[in-house]
Amino acid sequence: MSSSDARKPTVLIWGSYDLGKPRTRLMRAAIRQSGAEVREIHADVWAGAEDKAVMGRGAALGRAVRLILAYPVLLWRFLTGPRPDVVVVGYLGHLDVLMLWPFAKARGVPVVWDAFLSLHDTVVADRRMLSHGHPLARLLWLWEWLACRAVARVVLDTGAQAALFREAYGLPPDRVTSVFVGAEAAAFPEAPPAPSAARAQVLFYGQFIPLHGIATIVEAARLARGRPIDWTVIGQGQEAGRIRAMLDEDTPEALTWVDWVPYEELARRIAGADVCLGVFGESGKAGRVIPNKVFQILSAGRPLVTRDGPGMRELVPEGAPGIALVKPGDAAALLDGVERLLAAGPYPQGLHRDIAARFSIDALAARWAEILREAG
């Protein structure tokens, strides 16, 4: 697609992309907002699989069978439909891009892969489900290496993640780029300042995975004993058993664990909090990413404590009000960040409005328009 071409570019969003992920929903909305003429060919394989890492063998096998059976229809529709200028494959598309590769090449259509994150880095370095030398870990690395070579562009969520891909898979700089995840503004509208109360409310929500550092949050709540702070932790996942054991041993009286709330209720929970928490894991990935919850909290205009790292530094300027970036895995630093933000309040309406403009749907659309133009 040349910049001088006045017609709308035609973009096909193709594959088994996971509509349960805000990343995918925002990617689709941004591409439509960019002015492209968009078609979709989709097989809904991942509905209901919130954390794929903790699926049982039977459930995982069932999803795999559904995925394999979906490809003949997906590929037939690609081959018999109008030829697009660009195909976009969304998350989780590691197998999608390999299946599409020869057919896209035959039709002369460039493929942009929104990889979003590295499965090898997630499984091996972050969640530590496999050792680096395990044969399955090596196979996963090879799979990801090959997938990167099946496409014209690989898209990650931050520049730090893009740099990891370039280094890990020996990719040229122009092959890999990034787009912020962003937040669904309608679901996480700017909330009015929280009313003052005798006890401060601190909120965490998310999957119980190493990246989030739930144990550090529990330790911070223990350190806060006797202080007027109530802690609410919402979630389930891989580390739930470990966290349950910690709480059975020593439960902070001011900490409440809620297994799950509907997505639609999160905005109300955020609006009712004086401070919201991001992630505190110590892995390299935890420092490179900016999780969904961080964008949602910033969109809602709530004070935020999260770990420092190169990913956050891409978005948050030094000294931004209402944000405390702290050392990972450090409960005392987390508590100090919470108390500093509480002491600095009350905060005005529109606390993070300037930062939120950087990941608005218009900003994401402009970024996707640039990527699609370069790929085509």
Side-chain angles (χ1 to χ4, degrees):
M1 293 176 290
S2 70
S3 58
S4 61
D5 192 348
R7 72 175 180 84
K8 290 183 177 181
T10 58
V11 176
L12 173 63
I13 305 175
W14 183 93
S16 62
Y17 42 92
D18 186 353
L19 292 175
K21 297 296 183 185
R23 169 68 173 201
T24 305
R25 298 194 297 268
L26 284 160
M27 177 268 288
R28 292 163 70 234
I31 292 175
R32 292 183 185 278
Q33 181 86 358
S34 73
E37 181 180 318
V38 179
R39 292 190 303 117
E40 296 193 50
I41 297 176
H42 179 232
D44 193 4
V45 172
W46 301 111
E50 293 302 319
D51 188 353
K52 299 167 187 64
V54 296
M55 282 194 297
R57 287 189 178 182
L61 180 60
R63 302 277 178 176
V65 169
R66 287 171 60 184
L67 181 60
I68 295 301
L69 292 177
Y71 282 126
V73 175
L74 288 171
L75 292 168
W76 176 254
R77 292 181 63 192
F78 170 74
L79 289 170
T80 58
R83 181 190 178 279
D85 293 313
V86 178
V87 176
V88 176
V89 173
Y91 175 85
L92 179 69
H94 285 66
L95 186 56
D96 288 0
V97 293
L98 295 182
M99 298 297 292
L100 182 62
W101 188 3
F103 302 99
K105 190 171 183 179
R107 296 194 75 183
V109 181
V111 177
V112 173
W113 175 32
D114 186 24
F116 179 31
L117 51 79
S118 166
L119 281 185
H120 179 269
D121 180 55
T122 298
V123 171
V124 177
D126 183 53
R127 298 201 184 190
R128 300 179 184 176
M129 300 172 74
L130 295 172
S131 67
H132 282 275
H134 194 285
L136 288 179
R138 294 178 184 274
L139 181 61
L140 191 54
W141 182 91
L142 180 61
W143 183 3
E144 212 155 56
W145 178 92
L146 189 61
C148 289
R149 281 152 178 80
V151 299
R153 290 289 188 282
V154 183
V155 183
L156 285 307
D157 61 329
T158 65
Q161 288 277 80
L164 170 75
F165 260 66
R166 292 187 194 102
E167 181 178 350
Y169 299 117
L171 300 171
D174 63 352
R175 179 73 67 86
V176 189
T177 189
S178 63
V179 179
F180 286 139
V181 172
E184 294 170 299
F188 299 93
E190 193 174 272
S196 59
R199 296 184 64 82
Q201 303 299 313
V202 176
L203 172 69
F204 169 87
Y205 63 92
Q207 292 177 325
F208 280 29
I209 54 178
L211 181 143
H212 286 168
I214 314 299
T216 303
I217 298 171
V218 173
E219 278 297 331
R222 288 173 175 172
L223 292 175
R225 277 193 171 96
R227 307 182 200 192
I229 303 174
D230 292 327
W231 305 72
T232 299
V233 173
I234 299 171
Q236 270 292 340
Q238 177 188 349
E239 293 208 307
R242 177 191 175 203
I243 300 305
R244 176 55 63 200
M246 284 185 69
L247 294 177
D248 287 344
E249 179 183 332
D250 180 10
T251 303
E253 66 278 2
L255 186 145
T256 302
W257 179 4
V258 179
D259 285 350
W260 179 84
V261 299
Y263 185 72
E264 298 77 16
E265 189 183 326
L266 288 177
R268 184 183 67 79
R269 294 275 187 161
I270 293 170
D274 295 286
V275 174
C276 294
L277 304 180
V279 301
F280 304 94
E282 299 180 75
S283 69
K285 179 183 174 183
R288 288 189 299 270
V289 302
I290 306 174
N292 290 326
K293 67 173 63 55
V294 165
F295 290 105
Q296 293 160 354
I297 292 162
L298 295 175
S299 178
R302 275 291 172 267
L304 167 72
V305 181
T306 193
R307 68 152 287 175
D308 201 353
M312 283 300 300
R313 293 291 177 170
E314 294 176 31
L315 179 65
V316 175
E318 187 71 36
I323 298 175
L325 301 182
V326 302
K327 182 179 177 182
D330 189 327
L334 191 164
L335 177 58
D336 178 69
V338 167
E339 294 191 312
R340 281 190 285 117
L341 292 187
L342 291 173
Y347 295 94
Q349 183 81 19
L351 175 61
H352 306 304
R353 199 171 289 165
D354 289 346
I355 296 175
R358 298 189 57 205
F359 57 81
S360 68
I361 192 63
D362 288 339
L364 299 183
R367 186 75 190 99
W368 272 106
E370 182 181 2
I371 292 168
L372 296 171
R373 183 172 62 250
E374 292 171 350

